[in-house]
Amino acid sequence: MMKDAPASMEKLRWIMAQLRDPETGCPWDIKQDFASIVPHTIEEAYEVAEAINQQDFSELEKELGDLLFQVVFYSQLGQEQQRFDFDSVVAAICEKLMRRHPHVFGDKALHSEAEIKANWENEKAKERQAKSSTSQLSILADIPQALPALSRANKIQKRCAHVGFDWDNIHQCFDKVEEEVAEVKAELSSNLDNHEQQARLGEELGDLLFAVVNVCRHAKQDPEALLRAANEKFTKRFKHVEQQASESGKAMTEHSLDALEQFWQQAKALEK
């Protein structure tokens, strides 16, 4: 019987089918649909990223299994609705990868990383055009709204850069950051009790964040990964501040800002 068979993709697909069986399956799995699974897929993807960040490869093995199960789940739903199945999903990604890598699977010569990236973007542009019934489909049309904001900003900028709408160098990106900082300061000097001014300040702060992403991109850094790392660094240092405050016998709120800053500098010194 399949339940006694060694682990394999076929066994995983069989398990999925059993979970969705209308009569003998799991009530939770049976009631799911494409939309209801999305939050779980996003969560599993972040858990994979977290395991990699922590270099916990034992946990990564498990999290990758959870993420793979998400693909199998969607494929089962597609099969039930006669839209697609796991085999067609695999066929589609095989075709796409081979088409997007003509320098590996074809006879096209692409030698530099820039040439490879340009070819990749050109193939994606052809795919977007094929989906559209018009000849004016935006290059930004298929960037998911659900992406984290920093990642989406980075992707938008990369798409625009591919068609020549970009700063020439990182120094111009810094100039734009300084310009946006000045605009934020100008709004801060206004009456912030006014709702309209608050909205304008929020808009300028958003522009500043977008400009900083441009600096990250030109530095060939992933802004989402950078901010995650900064969050972790801050959290680690703040925990040290909390510990030092606790060991002093006084609550955090009873310490002056100067005293807390000393604890913070101690945390930084411990990292060196």
Side-chain angles (χ1 to χ4, degrees), residues 118-188:
N119 177 76
W120 182 275
E121 290 298 333
N122 288 336
E123 287 297 325
K124 290 173 69 174
K126 292 177 185 177
E127 293 165 13
R128 288 192 296 273
Q129 195 60 55
K131 294 178 184 177
S132 174
S133 58
T134 73
S135 59
Q136 299 298 321
L137 180 66
S138 171
I139 61 168
L140 308 179
D142 63 341
I143 298 178
Q145 293 279 352
L147 277 176
L150 287 177
S151 294
R152 190 162 188 267
N154 193 41
K155 201 169 188 68
I156 288 170
Q157 292 172 6
K158 283 182 176 179
R159 289 278 181 88
C160 293
H162 182 65
V163 294
F165 192 73
D166 193 15
W167 300 112
D168 291 331
N169 55 63
I170 196 170
H171 303 292
Q172 292 176 332
C173 295
F174 271 113
D175 291 341
K176 185 62 177 176
V177 169
E178 291 173 359
E179 175 187 325
E180 297 298 348
V181 167
E183 292 179 1
V184 168
K185 289 181 177 180
E187 292 299 334
L188 284 170

Side-chain angles (χ1 to χ4, degrees):
M1 295 179 64
M2 182 60 76
K3 69 178 182 180
D4 299 319
S8 66
M9 276 306 308
E10 287 305 313
K11 184 172 184 178
L12 181 56
R13 294 169 64 183
W14 174 82
I15 290 171
M16 183 73 258
Q18 301 311 302
L19 292 173
R20 288 281 297 180
D21 187 289
E23 297 182 0
T24 61
C26 169
W28 185 89
D29 290 277
I30 292 170
K31 73 177 184 180
Q32 301 308 310
D33 57 26
F34 285 108
S36 69
I37 303 173
V38 169
H40 301 283
T41 308
I42 295 172
E43 180 180 345
E44 297 300 351
Y46 276 113
E47 288 178 356
V48 166
E50 179 66 14
I52 293 172
N53 288 339
Q54 298 296 326
Q55 296 191 348
D56 187 343
F57 296 105
S58 175
E59 189 65 21
L60 176 60
E61 178 183 40
K62 301 171 187 174
E63 298 300 346
L64 286 171
D66 291 342
L67 188 58
L68 174 60
F69 180 69
Q70 298 296 304
V71 177
V72 173
F73 208 141
Y74 288 118
S75 299
Q76 176 67 27
L77 294 175
Q79 180 175 323
E80 292 170 4
Q81 299 178 22
Q82 298 183 329
R83 297 175 182 272
F84 57 85
D85 60 18
F86 184 80
D87 290 335
S88 66
V89 169
V90 172
I93 188 59
C94 286
E95 185 279 330
K96 181 188 292 185
L97 288 173
M98 293 181 71
R99 175 167 42 80
R100 289 185 178 180
H101 294 83
H103 52 299
V104 176
F105 302 104
D107 55 5
K108 191 170 184 177
L110 299 174
H111 303 293
S112 69
E113 182 178 350
E115 288 177 329
I116 292 170
K117 287 184 176 180
N119 177 76
W120 182 275
E121 290 298 333
N122 288 336
E123 287 297 325
K124 290 173 69 174
K126 292 177 185 177
E127 293 165 13
R128 288 192 296 273
Q129 195 60 55
K131 294 178 184 177
S132 174
S133 58
T134 73
S135 59
Q136 299 298 321
L137 180 66
S138 171
I139 61 168
L140 308 179
D142 63 341
I143 298 178
Q145 293 279 352
L147 277 176
L150 287 177
S151 294
R152 190 162 188 267
N154 193 41
K155 201 169 188 68
I156 288 170
Q157 292 172 6
K158 283 182 176 179
R159 289 278 181 88
C160 293
H162 182 65
V163 294
F165 192 73
D166 193 15
W167 300 112
D168 291 331
N169 55 63
I170 196 170
H171 303 292
Q172 292 176 332
C173 295
F174 271 113
D175 291 341
K176 185 62 177 176
V177 169
E178 291 173 359
E179 175 187 325
E180 297 298 348
V181 167
E183 292 179 1
V184 168
K185 289 181 177 180
E187 292 299 334
L188 284 170
S189 66
S190 303
N191 179 16
L192 295 181
D193 292 332
N194 183 289
H195 177 74
E196 182 181 348
Q197 291 289 347
Q198 281 285 354
R200 288 170 57 181
L201 174 61
E203 182 177 344
E204 296 300 344
L205 286 168
D207 291 345
L208 175 57
L209 288 171
F210 193 84
V212 171
V213 170
N214 243 330
V215 174
C216 297
R217 180 176 60 83
H218 272 259
K220 302 187 185 307
Q221 298 283 334
D222 177 3
E224 191 73 30
L226 293 177
L227 187 54
R228 282 202 304 267
N231 287 341
E232 290 305 310
K233 180 171 66 175
F234 182 92
T235 299
K236 181 179 179 181
R237 290 176 180 176
F238 189 75
K239 286 180 178 178
H240 175 83
V241 172
E242 289 179 310
Q243 180 181 355
Q244 294 300 110
S246 175
E247 291 177 358
S248 74
K250 296 193 297 183
M252 284 274 292
T253 54
E254 296 176 338
H255 287 79
S256 67
L257 182 57
D258 286 342
L260 295 176
E261 175 63 22
Q262 289 181 4
F263 295 152
W264 181 268
Q265 293 302 325
Q266 289 174 12
K268 290 179 64 175
L270 290 172
E271 296 172 357
K272 297 179 180 179

